[in-house]
Structure formats: structure tokens, C-alpha cells
Amino acid sequence: SIELSPMSVRLNYTLGEGASPDSMPKFAGVVLKDGTVLGIGDDVHNASEGGKAYSNCYFVRAIDPEDVESIIIIPDMDNPSESVTIPI
């Protein structure tokens, strides 16, 4: 699931058996309804416990969460140039 606020995003994951938080897709930014692509700042917090994991990321500027059309993730950090855009 995803939780958007004006300054941050929280992505909640359920990890498969034996998976580590390092295998989670990485959040890279959002696409706003006007086409603007907005990345994240350097402050990212990841944590996991009991098969659940989350990632908190902060935007480079404040946004209106209602203006977000899609999120951008990097599924595999071995190929960081290959991102996926997911409508929300």
C-alpha cells in the first residue's frame, strides 16, 4: 500500500518468505497530473519486522497528494535505470 502526504510517501510491503528488505522495490518519485515528475530527497528510511517492511521517502518540495497521478519505482537495483510507473 501507499500513503501520500504533502512532504513524504510511505510504501508498505509484505515480504515473501526469506526475502530481505534489500529486495524491496525502491521508490524513485511521482508523476503529477500536470505531467511534472518529482523525485525524492536523500532522506530515506527503510525498516522491516515480521514479514512486513516499509520505506519512508521525502519529496524535494511539498505537493498536493490529490495531484499525484502515478508513482515511479525501481524494481531491481541491479538495473537502476529501468523504472516502472504505476498509476494510483
Side-chain angles (χ1 to χ4, degrees):
S1 69
I2 182 171
E3 299 171 29
L4 287 167
S5 78
M7 292 302 299
S8 66
V9 62
R10 178 180 168 124
L11 301 175
N12 299 299
Y13 301 93
T14 300
L15 298 174
E17 188 173 326
S20 78
D22 294 333
S23 66
M24 294 187 317
K26 304 301 180 210
F27 179 77
V30 294
V31 179
L32 302 179
K33 291 177 182 174
D34 69 1
T36 301
V37 176
L38 185 64
I40 58 171
D42 293 332
D43 191 11
V44 176
H45 177 72
N46 298 312
S48 66
E49 183 178 326
K52 303 285 184 185
Y54 69 88
S55 179
N56 280 336
C57 306
Y58 300 90
F59 298 117
V60 295
R61 66 172 174 85
I63 65 162
D64 180 346
E66 295 294 319
D67 289 341
V68 175
E69 181 175 85
S70 56
I71 63 169
I72 305 167
I73 62 165
I74 301 171
D76 181 0
M77 286 308 291
D78 290 335
N79 296 309
S81 63
E82 295 187 22
S83 62
V84 175
T85 302
I86 302 170
I88 58 168

